[in-house]
Protein backbone atom coordinates (compact mmCIF):
# COMPACT_ATOMS: atom_id res chain seq x y z
CA UNK A 1 0.00 0.00 0.00
CA UNK A 2 1.40 3.38 -1.07
CA UNK A 3 1.03 6.50 1.06
CA UNK A 4 -0.42 9.61 -0.59
CA UNK A 5 -0.94 13.25 0.29
CA UNK A 6 -3.36 15.48 -1.59
CA UNK A 7 -3.14 19.20 -2.36
CA UNK A 8 -6.46 20.77 -3.36
CA UNK A 9 -8.93 18.59 -1.46
CA UNK A 10 -11.87 20.99 -1.79
CA UNK A 11 -11.69 21.34 -5.57
CA UNK A 12 -14.09 20.07 -8.24
CA UNK A 13 -11.81 17.27 -9.43
CA UNK A 14 -10.59 16.05 -6.02
CA UNK A 15 -13.37 13.44 -5.51
CA UNK A 16 -12.28 11.59 -8.66
CA UNK A 17 -8.78 11.32 -7.28
CA UNK A 18 -10.03 10.25 -3.87
CA UNK A 19 -12.11 7.52 -5.49
CA UNK A 20 -9.12 6.42 -7.56
CA UNK A 21 -6.96 6.20 -4.43
CA UNK A 22 -9.60 4.12 -2.67
CA UNK A 23 -10.18 1.87 -5.67
CA UNK A 24 -6.46 1.14 -6.07
CA UNK A 25 -5.98 0.26 -2.41
CA UNK A 26 -3.85 3.31 -1.70
CA UNK A 27 -3.74 5.23 1.58
CA UNK A 28 -4.30 8.98 1.97
CA UNK A 29 -2.47 10.22 5.05
CA UNK A 30 -2.82 14.00 4.66
CA UNK A 31 -4.69 16.61 2.64
CA UNK A 32 -4.38 20.36 2.16
CA UNK A 33 -6.75 23.09 1.03
CA UNK A 34 -7.18 26.69 2.13
CA UNK A 35 -10.92 26.02 2.09
CA UNK A 36 -12.30 23.72 4.77
CA UNK A 37 -15.37 22.37 2.94
CA UNK A 38 -13.80 18.94 2.60
CA UNK A 39 -16.45 16.67 4.08
CA UNK A 40 -15.94 14.48 1.01
CA UNK A 41 -12.89 13.05 2.81
CA UNK A 42 -15.22 11.19 5.17
CA UNK A 43 -16.49 9.07 2.29
CA UNK A 44 -13.02 7.88 1.38
CA UNK A 45 -10.34 8.55 4.02
CA UNK A 46 -11.87 9.79 7.27
CA UNK A 47 -8.61 9.28 9.13
CA UNK A 48 -6.54 11.49 6.85
CA UNK A 49 -5.05 14.54 8.55
CA UNK A 50 -6.25 17.82 7.06
CA UNK A 51 -4.62 21.25 6.92
CA UNK A 52 -5.70 24.67 5.67
CA UNK A 53 -2.20 26.14 5.94
CA UNK A 54 0.60 25.01 3.65
CA UNK A 55 3.25 25.55 6.33
CA UNK A 56 1.58 23.10 8.73
CA UNK A 57 1.03 20.60 5.92
CA UNK A 58 4.73 20.85 5.00
CA UNK A 59 5.79 20.36 8.64
CA UNK A 60 3.48 17.34 9.03
CA UNK A 61 4.89 15.61 5.97
CA UNK A 62 8.41 16.28 7.18
CA UNK A 63 7.60 14.70 10.55
CA UNK A 64 6.18 11.63 8.81
CA UNK A 65 9.34 11.26 6.74
CA UNK A 66 11.54 11.52 9.83
CA UNK A 67 9.43 8.84 11.54
CA UNK A 68 9.88 6.50 8.58
CA UNK A 69 6.30 6.97 7.39
CA UNK A 70 7.21 8.85 4.23
CA UNK A 71 4.59 9.82 1.63
CA UNK A 72 5.27 8.07 -1.70
CA UNK A 73 3.10 10.26 -3.95
CA UNK A 74 1.64 13.76 -3.69
CA UNK A 75 -1.50 14.31 -5.75
CA UNK A 76 -2.06 17.87 -6.97
CA UNK A 77 -5.58 19.16 -7.67
CA UNK A 78 -4.90 22.82 -6.97
CA UNK A 79 -5.65 25.70 -9.39
CA UNK A 80 -3.68 25.54 -12.63
CA UNK A 81 -1.28 28.38 -11.86
CA UNK A 82 -0.14 26.64 -8.65
CA UNK A 83 0.67 23.29 -10.26
CA UNK A 84 4.29 24.13 -11.04
CA UNK A 85 5.06 25.18 -7.47
CA UNK A 86 3.26 22.22 -5.92
CA UNK A 87 4.99 19.74 -8.24
CA UNK A 88 8.34 21.22 -7.24
CA UNK A 89 7.40 20.83 -3.57
CA UNK A 90 6.48 17.17 -4.07
CA UNK A 91 9.72 16.31 -5.86
CA UNK A 92 11.92 18.13 -3.36
CA UNK A 93 10.11 16.45 -0.48
CA UNK A 94 11.07 13.13 -2.05
CA UNK A 95 7.71 12.02 -3.45
CA UNK A 96 6.50 11.40 -6.97
CA UNK A 97 3.94 13.96 -8.16
CA UNK A 98 0.58 13.16 -9.78
CA UNK A 99 -0.91 16.33 -11.21
CA UNK A 100 -4.18 17.17 -12.91
CA UNK A 101 -4.23 18.89 -16.28
CA UNK A 102 -2.57 21.11 -17.29
CA UNK A 103 0.72 20.17 -15.65
CA UNK A 104 1.90 23.77 -16.12
CA UNK A 105 0.75 26.83 -18.05
CA UNK A 106 3.99 27.54 -19.90
CA UNK A 107 6.04 25.04 -21.93
CA UNK A 108 9.39 26.17 -20.50
CA UNK A 109 8.23 25.20 -17.01
CA UNK A 110 8.37 21.57 -18.15
CA UNK A 111 12.09 21.85 -18.88
CA UNK A 112 12.71 23.17 -15.37
CA UNK A 113 10.69 20.32 -13.86
CA UNK A 114 12.70 17.81 -15.90
CA UNK A 115 15.84 19.16 -14.23
CA UNK A 116 14.31 18.70 -10.78
CA UNK A 117 13.30 15.14 -11.71
CA UNK A 118 16.98 14.44 -12.45
CA UNK A 119 18.11 16.09 -9.23
CA UNK A 120 15.65 14.24 -7.00
CA UNK A 121 15.21 10.93 -8.81
CA UNK A 122 11.43 11.35 -8.55
CA UNK A 123 8.89 11.51 -11.36
CA UNK A 124 6.03 13.72 -12.45
CA UNK A 125 2.89 11.99 -13.73
CA UNK A 126 -0.12 13.61 -15.32
CA UNK A 127 -3.71 12.56 -15.90
CA UNK A 128 -4.38 12.15 -19.62
CA UNK A 129 -7.37 9.92 -19.10
CA UNK A 130 -8.79 10.11 -22.62
CA UNK A 131 -5.83 8.03 -23.77
CA UNK A 132 -7.30 5.24 -21.65
CA UNK A 133 -10.86 5.53 -23.02
CA UNK A 134 -11.76 2.35 -24.98
CA UNK A 135 -13.40 4.28 -27.85
CA UNK A 136 -10.40 6.58 -28.21
CA UNK A 137 -7.96 3.67 -28.12
CA UNK A 138 -10.00 1.93 -30.84
CA UNK A 139 -10.01 5.09 -32.97
CA UNK A 140 -6.24 5.43 -32.67
CA UNK A 141 -5.75 1.81 -33.71
CA UNK A 142 -8.03 2.39 -36.66
CA UNK A 143 -6.01 5.39 -37.83
CA UNK A 144 -2.66 3.64 -37.26
CA UNK A 145 -3.82 0.64 -39.26
CA UNK A 146 -5.43 2.74 -41.99
CA UNK A 147 -3.88 4.07 -45.21
CA UNK A 148 -0.49 5.62 -44.46
CA UNK A 149 -1.10 8.71 -46.58
CA UNK A 150 -4.68 9.31 -45.45
CA UNK A 151 -5.47 12.73 -43.93
CA UNK A 152 -8.82 12.72 -42.14
CA UNK A 153 -11.36 15.52 -41.80
CA UNK A 154 -12.25 15.86 -38.12
CA UNK A 155 -14.68 18.03 -36.15
CA UNK A 156 -14.50 18.38 -32.38
CA UNK A 157 -17.12 20.20 -30.33
CA UNK A 158 -17.14 20.34 -26.54
CA UNK A 159 -19.68 22.39 -24.65
CA UNK A 160 -19.92 22.19 -20.89
CA UNK A 161 -22.13 24.80 -19.26
CA UNK A 162 -20.77 26.77 -16.31
CA UNK A 163 -22.65 29.17 -14.06
CA UNK A 164 -21.81 32.77 -13.20
CA UNK A 165 -19.44 31.58 -10.47
CA UNK A 166 -16.96 30.42 -13.11
CA UNK A 167 -15.81 33.85 -14.26
CA UNK A 168 -15.57 35.06 -10.64
CA UNK A 169 -13.28 32.19 -9.68
CA UNK A 170 -9.64 31.59 -10.61
CA UNK A 171 -10.90 29.71 -13.67
CA UNK A 172 -12.12 32.96 -15.17
CA UNK A 173 -8.71 34.59 -14.71
CA UNK A 174 -6.57 34.01 -17.82
CA UNK A 175 -3.33 34.35 -15.87
CA UNK A 176 -4.41 31.64 -13.42
CA UNK A 177 -6.28 29.12 -15.58
CA UNK A 178 -4.80 29.71 -19.03
CA UNK A 179 -8.27 30.38 -20.41
CA UNK A 180 -10.85 28.10 -21.93
CA UNK A 181 -8.53 26.26 -24.35
CA UNK A 182 -6.22 25.32 -21.48
CA UNK A 183 -8.76 24.74 -18.75
CA UNK A 184 -11.36 22.63 -20.57
CA UNK A 185 -9.74 21.90 -23.94
CA UNK A 186 -6.32 20.50 -23.16
CA UNK A 187 -7.46 16.87 -22.77
CA UNK A 188 -9.09 16.96 -26.18
CA UNK A 189 -6.10 18.56 -27.88
CA UNK A 190 -3.85 15.91 -26.32
CA UNK A 191 -6.24 13.22 -27.55
CA UNK A 192 -6.21 14.60 -31.11
CA UNK A 193 -2.41 14.71 -31.27
CA UNK A 194 -2.15 11.23 -29.74
CA UNK A 195 -4.36 9.89 -32.51
CA UNK A 196 -3.41 12.02 -35.52
CA UNK A 197 0.16 13.20 -34.88
CA UNK A 198 2.05 16.47 -34.56
CA UNK A 199 0.73 19.95 -35.26
CA UNK A 200 1.60 21.35 -38.70
CA UNK A 201 -0.63 24.44 -38.63
CA UNK A 202 -2.63 26.22 -35.95
CA UNK A 203 -5.24 28.90 -36.71
CA UNK A 204 -7.38 30.50 -33.99
CA UNK A 205 -10.63 32.03 -35.25
CA UNK A 206 -12.01 33.26 -31.93
CA UNK A 207 -11.11 33.09 -28.27
CA UNK A 208 -13.08 34.71 -25.47
CA UNK A 209 -13.61 33.98 -21.79
CA UNK A 210 -16.46 31.60 -22.65
CA UNK A 211 -15.85 30.32 -26.21
CA UNK A 212 -13.09 29.36 -28.59
CA UNK A 213 -12.80 28.03 -32.12
CA UNK A 214 -10.08 27.26 -34.60
CA UNK A 215 -8.40 24.94 -37.06
CA UNK A 216 -5.48 22.59 -36.46
CA UNK A 217 -3.67 20.72 -39.18
CA UNK A 218 -2.08 17.54 -37.85
CA UNK A 219 0.02 14.90 -39.61
CA UNK A 220 -3.06 12.82 -40.34
CA UNK A 221 -6.01 15.16 -39.77
CA UNK A 222 -7.56 18.52 -40.56
CA UNK A 223 -9.40 19.49 -37.38
CA UNK A 224 -12.05 22.15 -36.83
CA UNK A 225 -12.67 22.67 -33.11
CA UNK A 226 -15.14 24.55 -30.96
CA UNK A 227 -15.19 24.91 -27.16
CA UNK A 228 -17.76 26.65 -24.99
CA UNK A 229 -18.93 27.02 -21.40
CA UNK A 230 -22.07 28.91 -22.54
CA UNK A 231 -25.32 27.01 -21.98
CA UNK A 232 -26.85 28.67 -25.05
CA UNK A 233 -24.37 26.85 -27.30
CA UNK A 234 -25.61 23.42 -26.26
CA UNK A 235 -27.96 21.86 -28.87
CA UNK A 236 -31.65 22.14 -28.04
CA UNK A 237 -32.11 18.36 -28.24
CA UNK A 238 -29.46 17.92 -25.55
CA UNK A 239 -31.00 20.63 -23.36
CA UNK A 240 -34.37 18.88 -23.66
CA UNK A 241 -32.80 15.84 -21.97
CA UNK A 242 -31.80 18.00 -19.02
CA UNK A 243 -28.10 17.79 -19.85
CA UNK A 244 -25.61 20.63 -19.53
CA UNK A 245 -22.69 19.01 -21.34
CA UNK A 246 -22.31 17.98 -24.98
CA UNK A 247 -19.22 16.51 -26.61
CA UNK A 248 -18.93 15.20 -30.13
CA UNK A 249 -16.06 14.00 -32.30
CA UNK A 250 -16.67 13.18 -35.95
CA UNK A 251 -14.21 11.78 -38.49
CA UNK A 252 -15.09 11.90 -42.16
CA UNK A 253 -18.66 12.65 -41.11
CA UNK A 254 -18.86 9.58 -38.85
CA UNK A 255 -19.72 10.23 -35.22
CA UNK A 256 -17.22 8.77 -32.75
CA UNK A 257 -19.12 8.10 -29.54
CA UNK A 258 -17.13 8.61 -26.36
CA UNK A 259 -19.61 10.34 -24.05
CA UNK A 260 -19.80 7.35 -21.73
CA UNK A 261 -17.04 5.51 -19.94
CA UNK A 262 -15.54 8.51 -18.12
CA UNK A 263 -16.45 7.36 -14.62
CA UNK A 264 -13.49 5.11 -13.93
CA UNK A 265 -10.78 6.72 -16.07
CA UNK A 266 -9.05 8.32 -13.08
CA UNK A 267 -8.95 4.93 -11.38
CA UNK A 268 -7.43 3.44 -14.54
CA UNK A 269 -4.91 6.27 -14.58
CA UNK A 270 -3.86 5.58 -11.00
CA UNK A 271 -3.62 1.85 -11.63
CA UNK A 272 -1.23 2.53 -14.51
CA UNK A 273 0.80 5.03 -12.50
CA UNK A 274 1.26 2.51 -9.69
CA UNK A 275 2.45 -0.04 -12.26
CA UNK A 276 4.85 2.48 -13.78
CA UNK A 277 3.03 2.58 -17.13
CA UNK A 278 1.85 6.13 -17.51
CA UNK A 279 2.31 9.64 -18.86
CA UNK A 280 4.94 12.13 -17.76
CA UNK A 281 6.47 15.44 -18.79
CA UNK A 282 7.28 14.50 -22.36
CA UNK A 283 3.80 13.13 -23.04
CA UNK A 284 2.23 16.31 -21.66
CA UNK A 285 4.47 18.71 -23.57
CA UNK A 286 2.81 18.81 -27.03
CA UNK A 287 -0.64 19.77 -25.71
CA UNK A 288 0.81 22.39 -23.35
CA UNK A 289 2.74 23.91 -26.25
CA UNK A 290 -0.40 23.94 -28.38
CA UNK A 291 -2.70 25.62 -25.86
CA UNK A 292 0.01 28.15 -25.05
CA UNK A 293 0.18 28.95 -28.77
CA UNK A 294 -3.62 29.15 -29.02
CA UNK A 295 -3.97 31.73 -26.26
CA UNK A 296 -1.11 33.87 -27.58
CA UNK A 297 -1.79 33.62 -31.30
CA UNK A 298 -3.24 36.37 -33.47
CA UNK A 299 -6.75 35.61 -34.70
CA UNK A 300 -7.19 34.30 -38.23
CA UNK A 301 -10.26 34.97 -40.42
CA UNK A 302 -12.51 31.96 -40.62
CA UNK A 303 -12.68 30.59 -44.21
Amino acid sequence: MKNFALIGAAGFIAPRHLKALKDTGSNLVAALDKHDNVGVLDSYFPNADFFTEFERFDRHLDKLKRKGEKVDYITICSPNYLHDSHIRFALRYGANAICEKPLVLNPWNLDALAEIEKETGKKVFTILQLRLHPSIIALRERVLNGPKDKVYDVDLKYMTSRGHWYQSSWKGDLSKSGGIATNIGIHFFDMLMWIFGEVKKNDVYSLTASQGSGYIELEKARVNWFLSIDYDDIPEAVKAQGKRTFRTLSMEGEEIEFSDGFTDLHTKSYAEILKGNTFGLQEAKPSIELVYDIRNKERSPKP
Side-chain angles (χ1 to χ4, degrees):
M1 181 183 289
K2 298 295 185 180
N3 284 335
F4 279 76
L6 171 67
I7 299 176
F12 170 79
I13 203 66
R16 296 189 195 179
H17 288 265
L18 292 169
K19 181 179 185 301
L21 288 172
K22 192 76 170 179
D23 290 347
T24 55
S26 302
N27 181 40
L28 184 71
V29 298
L32 167 71
D33 203 294
K34 68 177 184 178
H35 302 288
D36 59 9
N37 54 329
V38 291
V40 65
L41 288 172
D42 288 347
S43 299
Y44 296 100
F45 298 98
N47 294 322
D49 289 304
F50 175 70
F51 302 86
T52 57
E53 297 174 6
F54 179 83
E55 293 79 6
R56 293 187 177 187
F57 175 76
D58 177 17
R59 185 170 60 200
H60 181 69
L61 294 194
D62 185 63
K63 285 182 179 179
L64 291 178
K65 182 164 62 173
R66 294 177 187 281
K67 287 166 54 180
E69 301 173 12
K70 185 171 162 294
V71 167
D72 302 294
Y73 294 84
I74 296 179
T75 290
I76 297 158
C77 301
S78 52
N80 297 352
Y81 71 105
L82 297 176
H83 288 177
D84 183 49
S85 176
H86 290 157
I87 291 169
R88 290 164 181 264
F89 166 74
L91 297 178
R92 287 172 174 155
Y93 165 80
N96 297 303
I98 301 174
C99 186
E100 258 298 338
K101 61 81 186 169
L103 267 182
V104 291
L105 293 179
N106 303 306
W108 55 85
N109 297 140
L110 293 173
D111 298 328
L113 290 176
E115 289 298 314
I116 300 175
E117 278 190 331
K118 291 178 184 176
E119 292 169 3
T120 61
K122 297 301 176 180
K123 302 295 291 183
V124 180
F125 303 113
T126 191
I127 304 294
L128 300 175
Q129 71 265 40
L130 286 181
R131 296 194 188 194
L132 303 178
H133 193 293
S135 296
I136 301 305
I137 293 171
L139 178 59
R140 184 171 188 261
E141 290 297 317
R142 180 175 158 187
V143 170
L144 289 174
N145 294 324
K148 299 303 179 187
D149 58 349
K150 174 71 173 175
V151 179
Y152 298 87
D153 288 310
V154 175
D155 282 284
L156 171 71
K157 293 184 178 69
Y158 178 53
M159 303 148 208
T160 180
S161 178
R162 296 291 186 266
H164 296 301
W165 66 269
Y166 186 95
Q167 300 299 352
S168 298
S169 74
W170 64 266
K171 295 184 179 184
D173 185 333
L174 182 67
S175 67
K176 293 182 176 181
S177 70
I180 188 171
T182 303
N183 201 46
I184 74 165
I186 194 166
H187 277 320
F188 298 99
F189 292 126
D190 173 78
M191 172 193 73
L192 290 169
M193 286 185 283
W194 187 59
I195 296 170
F196 299 107
E198 295 180 4
V199 175
K200 302 299 182 183
K201 183 180 181 182
N202 176 33
D203 289 335
V204 179
Y205 300 145
S206 66
L207 193 63
T208 69
S210 60
Q211 295 175 333
S213 66
Y215 169 81
I216 308 169
E217 194 169 299
L218 304 173
E219 289 176 287
K220 296 183 71 65
R222 294 176 290 264
V223 181
N224 286 291
W225 59 269
F226 177 76
L227 303 171
S228 176
I229 57 169
D230 189 337
Y231 181 72
D232 291 338
D233 287 326
I234 295 175
E236 292 300 326
V238 177
K239 292 180 186 176
Q241 300 174 40
K243 296 180 180 179
R244 298 179 62 85
T245 294
F246 176 71
R247 59 176 69 86
T248 178
L249 174 68
S250 65
M251 185 173 76
E252 303 290 299
E254 175 192 346
E255 185 81 13
I256 308 298
E257 176 56 49
F258 69 110
S259 293
D260 297 325
F262 278 76
T263 308
D264 296 320
L265 291 181
H266 274 72
T267 294
K268 288 183 180 179
S269 296
Y270 270 74
E272 292 301 314
I273 287 170
L274 291 170
K275 289 190 294 187
N277 304 324
T278 190
F279 314 118
L281 297 177
Q282 288 307 307
E283 287 80 10
K285 192 169 188 176
S287 59
I288 290 173
E289 290 176 334
L290 176 58
V291 294
Y292 176 84
D293 192 39
I294 286 172
R295 71 174 178 267
N296 289 287
K297 200 173 185 66
E298 290 186 11
R299 308 298 174 256
S300 300
K302 189 172 183 178

